[in-house]
Amino acid sequence: MSTETAPVTHDTPHADASAVAAPADAAVHDPAHDHATHGYSPAKAEYLRRLRRIEGQVRGIARMVDEDVYCIDVLTQVAAVTKALQAVSIGLVEDHLGHCVVDAARQSPEAGAEKVREASAAIARLVRS
């Protein structure tokens, strides 16, 4: 078995994406987040393609561990997956700001401020992760 998995691209799709999967502790449905479209909708196929590639990389890492591959090689692949997830996250944040936050700000100053707080909290979670 080769110790390499598919190469990772670190580019972000165009700036029209929005929501990240909710954290496990945020499983409560919030009707305020119901939209006909999300900011990431135009790039949905690209996000799904990238996430499937990342999913394959994670399976490859599990195989590497199962096959007792050298620690540093496993860590190299973990770093690649982490970087790929960060790139997806950055794209989603850009798309959320450009679509959801802007739309809310057009509705009212209060709605805009709430979306900014929501985005700030999401960014804070990403920074801590």
Side-chain angles (χ1 to χ4, degrees), residues 16-96:
D16 280 333
S18 155
V20 177
D25 61 342
V28 177
H29 175 74
D30 182 359
H33 293 117
D34 290 343
H35 297 93
T37 62
H38 294 289
Y40 62 84
S41 293
K44 184 176 179 177
E46 173 64 12
Y47 279 111
L48 289 171
R49 183 187 65 75
R50 294 174 73 188
L51 290 167
R52 286 185 191 110
R53 185 180 329 148
I54 292 166
E55 181 180 26
Q57 288 177 284
V58 171
R59 281 193 306 272
I61 292 169
R63 252 189 326 276
M64 291 171 75
V65 170
D66 186 49
E67 295 173 4
D68 296 318
V69 171
Y70 184 57
C71 312
I72 298 303
D73 294 337
V74 175
L75 290 170
T76 298
Q77 294 306 312
V78 169
V81 167
T82 300
K83 198 76 163 163
L85 283 170
Q86 288 170 343
V88 168
S89 297
I90 288 168
L92 289 169
V93 167
E94 289 173 353
D95 293 339
H96 181 69

Side-chain angles (χ1 to χ4, degrees), residues 8-21:
V8 177
T9 59
H10 303 294
D11 58 325
T12 56
H14 66 67
D16 280 333
S18 155
V20 177

